[in-house]
Amino acid sequence: MLRKLSIILTSLLFIFPFSATTTHAANFTPSEANQVKQLQQEYAALDKTPFNEDNLYVTKPQLNRKFKEGVLTPTYLSDQLAYINYYRGLFGLTPIAEAKQDSIDAQKTAAVLATLNANPLINQHNLPYEKRPRNVSKAIWQIARSTSNSANLNFNTHDQTAGDVITDLITDRYNLSGPDTGHRAWLLSTRLTTTGIGAAYGKNGYRYSVQKVLNSADVFRKPSQQQVTYPSSGVFPLELVQGQNIAWSFYSSDQVIKEIPQITITDEDTQTTYQAQEVHNYHNSGYGNFTTIITYSPGATPLVNGHEYRVDIAGVLSYHFKLFRLGSN
């Protein structure tokens, strides 16, 4: 049912330009303005500390001779979980919790990737092209193979915040396998309950981040909602759709759609309709335990702060959203 997840290489740091959080009354109803203000305030309260090799660990990993995975600072773990749940909240999804054992396994996996100085430009799920280093035991190697095959992986050379890693995964703009939005689907899974988090630096300067997302018990859980759209209905951050290689998506928890539907996007402020481009259907992928994954590009659609848009997925659904800035409007 499930294919391997994609790996992303982030060569640019995605940062929200946070400053004043005012809204324009002309663009938003009072209810929308209140919601925007609340979302901006909640985002502003999230920690923006950049992490690097000096402040990422309580105990640094030992990658030479006797292997030790190290211990992440609790702040990094709690920050990353807070960002995951903030983003899930944008889509009306239930929050998830950290599973301590999964984080231990994710940290071992990240440290193994760092020991290998694993090539960030090829698939590292299940470590298919790597050989076990002599200082890594067979037991830990098996954990790394299994965990890497059930996790979102992010490789980056920048001093990112814990939240920037999650922003990379949810926008999925650096997905090596293309527009399937597999990382996003796992983050926004309607069946996901827990995650594990790990991170370690290799000698090559890359931070190898591991987020455990595939839990066997979740497959059989009742979904918290039937559909997830990106952008979501209601107000939605402009920063999460602005930029190159950010596919939009429709996920269904249980409904199987095998066709490739026609999709249009209408700017309700200008009454101009645009045709979606590069429409794909990944219903066989199993990402996020969804039965249907449809992705597409908004094409020539101008994305304007304060504008309202209608998305029509023929034969599936029609919905509206309005863009706002997480930073200054």
Side-chain angles (χ1 to χ4, degrees), residues 174-190:
Y174 302 109
N175 192 334
L176 289 181
S177 66
D180 59 45
T181 67
H183 307 96
R184 177 192 299 162
W186 284 110
L187 276 171
L188 301 182
S189 172
T190 57

Side-chain angles (χ1 to χ4, degrees), residues 14 38 57 75 85 94 99 102 131 134 138 169 192 196 318:
F14 191 98
Q38 179 180 350
Y57 311 110
T75 302
N85 284 328
T94 54
D102 284 345
K131 293 184 178 180
R134 292 183 178 180
K138 291 182 180 179
L169 293 171
L192 185 65
S318 176

Side-chain angles (χ1 to χ4, degrees), residues 174-250:
Y174 302 109
N175 192 334
L176 289 181
S177 66
D180 59 45
T181 67
H183 307 96
R184 177 192 299 162
W186 284 110
L187 276 171
L188 301 182
S189 172
T190 57
R191 292 178 165 93
L192 185 65
T193 55
T194 61
T195 191
I197 297 166
Y201 279 91
K203 288 185 177 180
N204 57 2
Y206 276 93
R207 186 203 302 179
Y208 294 90
S209 298
V210 178
Q211 187 220 354
K212 176 77 159 48
V213 288
L214 174 55
N215 307 311
S216 57
D218 288 347
V219 177
F220 305 101
R221 293 186 183 278
K222 182 180 179 180
S224 59
Q225 58 193 55
Q226 282 300 314
Q227 298 176 341
V228 178
T229 61
Y230 187 107
S232 62
S233 60
V235 295
F236 191 79
L238 176 63
E239 290 92 336
L240 295 185
V241 291
Q242 198 170 49
Q244 295 182 341
N245 300 323
I246 300 179
W248 295 12
S249 56
F250 165 82

